[in-house]
């Protein structure tokens, strides 16, 4: 197999301006310099003529580059802004949704160099970067096969009007039909060669070139989260009810250690686990390790292996109303109904003075109980100041981990890298029974 090329959707505007920094080929012509393309009644207007599609191809794929002007980055995030961005490879312009889409067509390994440089800290160890390179490559090629991208939209929802006692939904992948992935954080953050790639990232990409995580002849679903909390979650408790053999429960600790993970689907075991701080790779407050995984603004707290959140009655009832749109009245109780293999709740009963409802899965629970996202859904609830009518004054949530806990645990993997584990050992610790195969040279 030859190294594939990926089609990355970068820009979605009625008019796109760009600069070809070297001579590019199109329709047998050589073109360079500043260009403007405009949406015009279902066509692309360029140099006074109308086209269905345009493809500007570099004369030299290794060195030739173009610049896209006013690219929006951080779409729908608080730091959304525009900047000019530079890219290797070809530029394709298509018509989509009554505007133009600018697509970068680029070799997979060049794409990954940019992604890993954008997503990972410059202080990350070589072995952690190699592990992430294999994960990102696996994620990308799996998406190219299915032509899907994980935007936060409802992929499935088994809540039905017939069952008014439950509202269970999960967030999955929304298809891009005209390109493989987008360039924003919804997929993997890609900024071309706008920012310099570090030598260590180039080294990690080159050392793992063509390598993918595989299981039963298929590319693995290489999910990852910040901190599993000491035990791995299984896929079916967070998303669709599908069990993957390589995403299975295990302690995030030394293989063969004398302390296997308890059955955290059982409430007494989950409570004991969450209220204590068992040994785990991700049980660390080492700033040197954490800086490899966390952005500066994430490092203000190191309490995510075990954490606490407190709400007054007024705060919690107002928050749940605002986040869910459901008026429960005053909140009487938050009752665990079902947990996954890491102790994460995938069904939670909210009991109010006006309404009672079971909600899930984990992301829906996290969104309902926080102004953005609760660290995780692995938590236990304590109530204080209960009135004669049974209304608590305060709720204290004690929790474990950060994120969904499925697949690679980034903080655990960073610790393993610091402890001398090689990238393949790190990957096979988190993706159990998988293999690392080289698909192309």
């Amino acid at each position: 197999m030859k190294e594939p090329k990926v089609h990355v959707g970068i820009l979605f505007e009625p008019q796109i301006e760009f600069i070809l920094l070297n001579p590019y080929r199109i329709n047998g012509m050589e073109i360079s310099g500043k260009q403007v393309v405009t949406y015009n009644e279902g066509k692309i207007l360029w140099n006074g003529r109308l086209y269905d599609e345009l493809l500007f191809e570099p004369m030299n794929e290794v060195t030739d580059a173009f610049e896209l002007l006013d690219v929006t980055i951080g779409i729908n995030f608080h730091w959304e802004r525009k900047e000019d961005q530079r890219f290797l490879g070809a530029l394709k312009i298509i018509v989509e949704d009554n505007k133009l889409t600018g697509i970068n067509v680029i070799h997979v390994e060049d794409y990954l160099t940019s992604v890993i440089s954008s997503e990972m800290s410059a202080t990350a160890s070589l072995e952690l970067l190699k592990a992430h390179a294999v994960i990102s490559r696996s994620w990308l090629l799996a998406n190219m096969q299915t032509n899907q991208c994980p935007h936060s939209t409802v992929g499935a929802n088994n809540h039905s009007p017939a069952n008014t006692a439950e509202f269970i939904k999960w967030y999955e992948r929304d298809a891009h039909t005209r390109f493989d992935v987008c360039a924003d954080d919804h997929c993997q953050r890609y900024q071309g060669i706008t920012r310099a790639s570090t030598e260590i990232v180039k080294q990690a990409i080159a050392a793992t070139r063509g390598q993918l995580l595989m299981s039963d002849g298929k590319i693995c679903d290489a999910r990852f989260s910040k901190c599993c909390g000491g035990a791995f979650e299984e896929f079916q408790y967070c998303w669709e009810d599908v069990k993957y053999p390589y995403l299975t429960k295990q302690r995030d600790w030394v293989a063969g250690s004398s302390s296997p993970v308890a059955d955290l689907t059982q409430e007494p075991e989950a409570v004991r686990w969450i209220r204590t701080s068992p040994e785990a790779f991700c049980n660390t407050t080492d700033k040197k390790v954490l800086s490899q995984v966390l952005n500066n603004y994430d490092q203000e707290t190191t309490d995510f292996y075990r954490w606490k959140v407190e709400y007054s009655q007024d705060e919690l009832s107002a928050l749940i109303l605002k986040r869910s749109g459901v008026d429960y009245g005053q909140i009487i109780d938050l009752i665990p109904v079902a947990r996954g293999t890491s102790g994460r709740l995938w069904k939670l009963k909210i009991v109010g003075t006006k309404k009672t409802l079971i909600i899930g899965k984990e992301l829906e629970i996290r969104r309902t109980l926080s102004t953005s996202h609760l660290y995780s859904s692995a938590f236990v609830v304590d109530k204080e100041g209960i009135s004669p009518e049974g209304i608590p004054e305060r709720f204290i949530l004690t929790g474990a981990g950060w994120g969904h806990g499925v697949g690679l645990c980034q903080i655990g993997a960073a610790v393993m890298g610091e402890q001398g584990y090689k990238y393949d050992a790190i990957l096979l610790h988190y993706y159990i029974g998988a293999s690392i195969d080289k698909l192309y040279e």
Side-chain angles (χ1 to χ4, degrees):
M1 177 181 174
K2 274 175 62 182
E3 179 188 355
K5 288 184 178 179
V6 56
H7 290 63
V8 190
I10 311 286
L11 194 54
F12 315 91
E13 299 289 348
Q15 181 169 293
I16 295 175
E17 296 185 28
F18 57 97
I19 301 167
L20 301 172
L21 301 169
N22 309 91
Y24 270 61
R25 277 191 309 269
I26 181 165
N27 302 335
M29 300 181 291
E30 278 189 30
I31 301 286
S32 61
K34 185 167 183 182
Q35 311 293 323
V36 180
V37 290
T38 309
Y39 175 81
N40 187 313
E41 295 180 349
K43 301 272 189 183
I44 304 162
L45 177 63
W46 177 58
N47 285 350
R49 294 184 62 184
L50 292 171
Y51 300 85
D52 292 318
E53 188 174 293
L54 292 169
L55 179 63
F56 299 88
E57 295 182 284
M59 308 286 276
N60 184 328
E61 284 193 331
V62 178
T63 57
D64 291 354
F66 63 91
E67 203 160 273
L68 282 174
L69 308 183
D70 283 339
V71 177
T72 304
I73 63 169
I75 295 170
N76 298 329
F77 287 86
H78 64 278
W79 45 273
E80 181 176 315
R81 64 182 188 276
K82 288 183 184 289
E83 67 174 21
D84 298 344
Q85 293 191 340
R86 189 170 289 199
F87 301 90
L88 294 171
L91 172 63
K92 188 177 186 181
I93 309 288
I94 63 169
V95 176
E96 196 178 34
D97 299 331
N98 297 322
K99 52 188 171 184
L100 303 182
T101 298
I103 297 168
N104 184 200
V105 184
I106 181 132
H107 284 292
V108 162
E109 301 297 314
D110 290 331
Y111 167 84
L112 290 173
T113 303
S114 171
V115 164
I116 301 292
S117 297
S118 298
E119 295 254 352
M120 298 297 291
S121 162
T123 65
S125 70
L126 179 61
E127 296 307 310
L128 179 61
L129 288 170
K130 285 183 189 173
H132 256 288
V134 176
I135 288 173
S136 287
R137 191 181 291 109
S138 302
W139 180 92
L140 175 65
L141 267 72
N143 272 283
M144 287 169 69
Q145 283 182 357
T146 55
N147 210 20
Q148 292 181 321
C149 149
H151 286 279
S152 287
T153 54
V154 182
N157 180 346
N158 67 357
H159 167 255
S160 68
N163 184 2
T164 54
E166 285 197 358
F167 182 80
I168 309 297
K169 93 181 185 187
W170 59 94
Y171 296 79
E172 244 318 345
R173 297 180 175 175
D174 189 23
H176 286 312
T177 54
R178 304 287 299 280
F179 49 88
D180 299 311
V181 291
C182 65
D184 220 8
D185 290 51
H186 299 114
C187 289
Q188 298 189 105
R189 191 184 307 169
Y190 171 67
Q191 298 166 338
I193 54 171
T194 310
R195 289 164 185 78
S197 300
T198 58
E199 280 309 310
I200 193 169
V201 168
K202 291 176 184 172
Q203 200 181 331
I205 300 291
T208 63
R209 181 180 172 87
Q211 292 183 11
L212 302 175
L213 279 165
M214 303 290 290
S215 176
D216 294 330
K218 293 187 181 137
I219 302 172
C220 290
D221 188 320
R223 312 244 167 169
F224 60 90
S225 65
K226 282 282 195 293
C227 176
C228 68
F232 305 168
E233 192 50 78
E234 293 187 359
F235 181 94
Q236 68 272 19
Y237 296 115
C238 297
W239 298 286
E240 191 180 358
D241 192 15
V242 174
K243 197 166 167 59
Y244 291 107
Y246 50 88
L247 297 175
T248 190
K249 80 168 187 177
Q250 180 174 287
R251 274 286 299 271
D252 187 26
W253 193 226
V254 181
S257 64
S258 57
S259 49
V261 67
D263 184 357
L264 303 181
T265 64
Q266 300 302 304
E267 193 60 25
E269 294 288 356
V271 170
R272 190 177 306 119
W273 175 260
I274 292 166
R275 290 196 189 279
T276 55
S277 187
E279 283 187 306
F281 287 122
C282 59
N283 185 355
T284 183
T285 54
D286 183 336
K287 287 280 176 88
K288 179 175 184 284
V289 172
L290 296 175
S291 71
Q292 296 184 35
V293 173
L294 306 179
N295 298 309
N296 291 332
Y297 53 80
D298 287 333
Q299 288 181 53
E300 290 164 12
T301 173
T302 53
D303 301 333
F304 29 72
Y305 185 71
R306 294 294 181 269
W307 47 265
K308 265 191 172 56
V309 174
E310 298 188 18
Y311 294 117
S312 68
Q313 172 65 239
D314 288 349
E315 286 170 339
L316 186 63
S317 51
L319 175 67
I320 292 175
L321 171 60
K322 182 181 177 187
R323 297 292 287 167
S324 69
V326 176
D327 185 2
Y328 291 87
Q330 291 182 293
I331 304 301
I332 298 168
D333 210 347
L334 302 172
I335 302 172
V337 176
R339 294 185 185 269
T341 54
S342 70
R344 281 166 173 79
L345 285 162
W346 68 276
K347 282 188 178 183
L348 173 74
K349 183 187 281 190
I350 302 176
V351 181
T353 53
K354 294 182 180 176
K355 186 177 179 69
T356 295
L357 185 67
I358 293 172
I359 66 164
K361 293 184 173 181
E362 65 90 31
L363 187 55
E364 186 67 14
I365 293 168
R366 290 167 61 200
R367 287 181 166 185
T368 302
L369 297 179
S370 169
T371 53
S372 56
H373 297 83
L374 200 63
Y375 270 138
S376 88
S377 68
F379 60 83
V380 293
V381 180
D382 294 299
K383 295 166 292 181
E384 291 181 348
I386 299 175
S387 73
E389 297 76 36
I391 310 292
E393 281 179 9
R394 265 192 114 54
F395 290 83
I396 301 161
L397 276 53
T398 303
W402 184 0
H404 51 65
V406 178
L408 181 129
C409 166
Q410 286 184 301
I411 292 171
V415 170
M416 289 180 78
E418 284 297 307
Q419 291 183 2
Y421 287 86
K422 298 300 182 191
Y423 80 99
D424 51 350
I426 295 172
L427 288 170
L428 299 181
H429 169 66
Y430 290 106
Y431 304 97
I432 297 157
S435 60
I436 301 168
D437 298 350
K438 195 173 178 81
L439 249 68
Y440 54 84
E441 293 301 326

